[in-house]
């Protein structure tokens, strides 16, 4: 078990490195990875099931005890990221599928890797976990609605089909994980050490599948869409922080909201784009899977050297550290 825990920790620590390596291999040698495209939805379901196994009632405690920062953060996430994506798509004059894919990336909930970044950045971890959980639960309704309003100009959007897909890929696996944890807590506790490794492997396979299917598109539009994703991420990180600042939240909350708004569930973006818009639309989310795991650690490292003096930290919820610290799967 200690060996598995060490391997799992190593996989999570160097997640971005593994994603980059596999993406490069899939780009130059795509054929061995093409068959994996049929398993993207299943793999994301596995990641979400792992998230459900780690959730505890205390993870939702802050939503009830201190709802204002959570509401501010989630509202900022579902406003800043979709509208930012729309603005960038117009400015860059992106092709239809890429434009819709970027808006889709902005419309999905926060990724669980953000919890790790907030912890390292000395932000309010309890707020981070609450935002990830709440945005995920709201995604079946908000993501299809936002896409219908903003991305329908480029590609046909079927909100009912998207709703069903998100419920199948996210809500059902998470609920199943929560139920199994409730029924078999001791067995789940022993198996949670393997969850980071499984999540990393699943996301890596998803990235390799989409990259291999889009080699030609990457070669022609890679630099353009990479720039768009980087700017989109910068919008989220900076405007998320600014929103919290304007709402007079303390520094720990500002850091949490900044990272939560800026880091998306790129795996869900890949799955939805592939299923509903086409493989090219998945490209922004594939690049985000790599870039968010580069920009996040950079910002977290910067903030980790700047203590939040005189402000109460998130000591009120200890379990999120234990349950989310090693989780990956953007």
């Amino acid at each position: 078990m200690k060996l598995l825990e060490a391997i799992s920790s190593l996989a999570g620590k160097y997640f971005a490195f593994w994603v980059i390596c596999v993406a490069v291999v899939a780009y130059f040698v795509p054929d061995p990875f093409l068959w994996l495209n049929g398993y993207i939805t299943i793999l994301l379901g596995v990641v979400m099931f792992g998230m459900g196994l780690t959730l505890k009632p205390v993870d939702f405690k802050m939503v009830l005890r201190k709802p204002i920062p959570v509401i501010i953060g989630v509202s900022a996430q579902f406003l800043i990221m979709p509208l930012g994506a729309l603005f960038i798509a117009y400015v860059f004059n992106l092709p239809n599928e890429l434009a819709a894919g970027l808006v889709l990336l902005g419309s999905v909930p926060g990724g669980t890797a953000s919890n790790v970044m907030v912890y390292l950045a000395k932000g309010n971890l309890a707020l981070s976990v609450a935002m990830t959980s709440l945005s995920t639960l709201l995604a079946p309704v908000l993501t299809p609605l936002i896409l219908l309003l903003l991305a329908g100009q480029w590609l046909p959007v079927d909100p009912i089909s998207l709703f069903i897909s998100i419920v199948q890929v996210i809500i059902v696996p998470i609920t199943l994980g929560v139920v199994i944890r409730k029924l078999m807590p001791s067995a789940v506790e022993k198996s949670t050490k393997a969850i980071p490794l499984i999540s990393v492997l699943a996301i890596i396979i998803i990235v390799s599948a989409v990259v291999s299917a889009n080699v030609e598109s990457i070669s022609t539009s890679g630099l353009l869409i990479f720039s768009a994703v980087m700017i989109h991420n910068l919008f989220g990180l900076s405007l998320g922080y600014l929103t919290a600042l304007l709402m007079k939240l303390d520094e720990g909350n500002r850091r949490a909201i900044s990272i939560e708004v800026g880091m998306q569930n790129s795996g869900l973006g890949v799955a939805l784009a592939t299923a509903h818009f086409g493989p090219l639309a998945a490209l922004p989310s594939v690049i985000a899977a790599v870039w968010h795991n580069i920009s996040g650690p950079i910002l977290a490292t910067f903030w980790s050297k700047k203590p939040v003096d005189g402000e109460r930290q998130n000591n009120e919820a200890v379990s999120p550290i234990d349950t989310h610290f090693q989780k990956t799967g953007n």
Side-chain angles (χ1 to χ4, degrees):
M1 186 60 71
K2 288 185 178 181
L3 177 62
L4 180 61
E5 184 178 356
I7 295 173
S8 191
S9 176
L10 188 66
K13 186 177 181 180
Y14 297 102
F15 175 67
F17 172 76
W18 302 124
V19 170
I20 292 171
C21 288
V22 171
V24 170
V25 172
Y27 178 79
F28 288 105
V29 189
D31 291 345
F33 301 95
L34 290 173
W35 66 277
L36 296 170
N37 277 272
Y39 297 92
I40 290 176
T41 301
I42 296 174
L43 289 166
L44 183 60
V46 170
V47 175
M48 293 299 102
F49 175 70
M51 178 181 176
L53 287 176
T54 64
L55 286 177
K56 295 179 180 179
V58 72
D59 294 337
F60 298 93
K61 187 177 180 181
M62 187 173 182
V63 180
L64 299 175
R65 288 186 58 194
K66 294 185 177 181
I68 300 301
V70 181
I71 293 171
I72 291 172
V74 173
S75 298
Q77 182 172 23
F78 281 116
L79 287 172
I80 291 171
M81 298 310 278
L83 293 176
L86 183 69
F87 173 76
I88 294 168
Y90 274 120
V91 171
F92 279 63
N93 194 26
L94 295 178
N96 289 353
E97 280 192 72
L98 289 178
L102 188 64
V103 172
L104 172 56
L105 173 64
S107 305
V108 296
T112 54
S114 59
N115 304 150
V116 182
M117 298 304 110
V118 170
Y119 174 76
L120 296 175
K122 299 180 179 179
N124 189 332
L125 182 60
L127 173 58
S128 173
V129 174
M131 281 184 61
T132 299
S133 303
L134 184 59
S135 66
T136 299
L137 294 177
L138 291 174
V141 174
L142 292 184
T143 298
L145 180 60
I146 293 170
L147 285 171
L148 181 63
L149 294 174
L150 302 184
Q153 59 188 300
W154 292 300
L155 293 174
V157 176
D158 184 347
I160 302 301
S161 180
L162 280 164
F163 172 84
I164 294 171
S165 292
I166 297 173
V167 170
Q168 290 175 336
V169 173
I170 288 189
I171 304 302
V172 172
I174 288 178
T175 302
L176 185 60
V178 170
V179 171
I180 290 178
R181 182 182 183 89
K182 181 71 174 177
L183 296 175
M184 300 181 292
S186 57
V188 169
E189 200 63 41
K190 293 178 182 178
S191 66
T192 51
K193 298 184 185 299
I195 291 175
L197 178 60
I198 294 172
S199 298
V200 167
L201 289 174
I203 295 297
I204 285 175
I205 294 172
I206 289 172
V207 169
S208 67
V210 178
V211 169
S212 65
N214 287 281
V215 171
E216 186 177 346
S217 300
I218 294 172
S219 63
T220 56
S221 305
L223 182 60
L224 176 67
I225 195 59
F226 190 84
S227 301
V229 169
M230 287 179 63
I231 295 172
H232 184 240
N233 178 232
L234 180 61
F235 271 19
L237 295 172
S238 56
L239 294 181
Y241 186 91
L242 181 61
T243 299
L245 179 65
L246 292 175
M247 298 303 293
K248 299 182 179 180
L249 298 181
D250 64 34
E251 179 63 18
N253 288 335
R254 293 174 207 160
R255 294 181 185 185
I257 290 176
S258 170
I259 293 173
E260 278 296 323
V261 171
M263 296 184 67
Q264 308 299 99
N265 189 332
S266 51
L268 177 61
V270 171
L272 294 178
T274 303
H276 297 276
F277 292 150
L280 183 58
L283 195 54
S285 293
V286 170
I287 294 173
V290 179
W291 176 247
H292 288 187
N293 286 281
I294 295 174
S295 65
I298 291 173
L299 182 59
T301 301
F302 171 77
W303 268 333
S304 69
K305 298 175 182 178
K306 297 181 178 295
V308 188
D309 296 326
E311 293 176 353
R312 184 181 181 186
Q313 294 301 301
N314 49 313
N315 296 327
E316 62 212 296
V318 177
S319 74
I321 296 178
D322 299 324
T323 60
H324 291 272
F325 179 71
Q326 292 187 354
K327 282 177 63 181
T328 57
N330 233 7

